[in-house]
Amino acid sequence: MLEECRWLYNYLLAQRKDAYEQTKETLSLYDQHALLPALKKDRPSLSTVHSQVLQNVAVRIDLAFKAFFRRIRKSYEGKGEKPGYPRFRGYGRYDSLCYPQAPSGCNLVGNSLHLSKVGPVQVVLHRPLEGTPKTVCIRRSSTGKWYATFSCEWKPAALPVSSEQVGIDVGLKTFATLSSGEEIENPRFFRTEEKALAKVQRLLSKQEKGTPSRAKRRKVVARVHERVGWRRNDFSHQHSRRIVNRFGFIALEDLEVNRMLHNQCLGKSISDAAWAGFRQLLEVKAEWAARKVVAINPAYTSQTCHACGHRLSSGQRLGLSDRIFDCPCCGLHIDRDLNASLNILALGIQRMSNQSLEAVAL
C-alpha cells in the first residue's frame, strides 16, 4: 500500500510539473482528485488502497506546493528561506498513509485495528482512546516498527486551580532552573550515545551501497537515533507534566532556538537539550489544564539583579563560564540561573498585569 501511494505521489507531482512547463497552468487539488477513477482503471493495483487514502496523497502534493510558494514569497521578502521544490520519492521513502475520515476504512475494536484492504491487525494500545476519532495515520518508522496515530475530538478537563507561580530559565549546565530554587538536571541523551553512534556509523560506512548488509547496518544506526529520541521525549513529557500539575502561572523564555543552533561551539548541545520541544509540550499541557503560560523576551535576564533591578554594564557582563551573579549595587550573591528565573517570573507577571489593564481599558 505504501508503494502504491508512493507511485501515485510521484505521478501527481510529475503531472503538476509537466502541466506548468507545457501550458503554464497549475493543477488544483480537485483536478487531481477527479483523475483518480481513471488512474485506477489504468493501474488496477491502486484498488488495493482505500479511496480516501489515495485522495490524501493528492492533499499532500497540494500542501507541498503551497509550502513551496510560501517559501518563495519569503525569499523575495529577504527572509532567507530556500524555496525547496517538492521532490520525487524513491523506493522505501514513503512511510505513512492517512485515513482522513475515521472510522471509514480504519476502525479500532478492542485491541484490533481493522484496516480496509488489510483486515484486523493486533495493536498494543498506548492508552484507551478519549473522545471521537477523526483521523488515523499509519506510519512505518525507520527501524521497521509500525504505529497508528489517532486524532480525536476531545474536551480536556481543567486541573484544580493553583496559586503557585514559577519562572523557568533553560540552560546547558542544568536543563532548567525554576524560580522556586529547584533545578532539573540536563541528561544529555545524545552525548551519552555518541560513542555507540560513532561505532555503528563506522560499521555502516564499510558496507557497499545497495547491499543487504548495508541496509541491516543502516537500521542499527536508526535504532540508536530512535533510542535517543524516545528518552528525550519521555524526559520532556515527564517534567512538563510535573510543572503544569503544580503551577498555575508559568513564565518562560521566548528563545529563537533555530538561530542559536548556528553556534559552532554550542549547537550540538543546544539541539540535544531540545528546549523547543519542551516548551511546546509545556504549552499544550498547560492549555489542556487551563493554566497560564507566558513567553517573555530573555534579553538581559541574566545580567539584571532581580532584587534591586541594577543591570550590569558592558564591562561587568557575565560570560557563559560565570555561574554566580554578584550585584555591585546591593551586594546580592546568587546563582546566575536562579537570578534569571526570578527575573523571568517578574517580567511574566508584569506582562499579565499589562494585558489585564488593556482588557479593562477596552
Side-chain angles (χ1 to χ4, degrees), residues 307-323:
C308 67
H310 174 75
R311 181 180 297 177
L312 299 180
S313 62
S314 57
Q316 300 171 327
R317 294 284 167 82
L318 299 179
L320 290 177
S321 60
D322 299 321
R323 307 313 307 171

Side-chain angles (χ1 to χ4, degrees), residues 108 127-134 150-156:
L108 182 66
R127 60 182 176 183
L129 291 184
E130 299 180 36
T132 305
K134 292 296 183 180
F150 291 78
S151 298
C152 302
E153 186 177 4
W154 167 65
K155 187 176 181 180

Side-chain angles (χ1 to χ4, degrees), residues 222-234:
R223 179 69 182 90
V224 176
H225 284 292
E226 182 183 60
R227 186 165 65 236
V228 172
W230 281 351
R231 291 175 177 173
R232 186 182 291 125
N233 287 338
D234 180 67

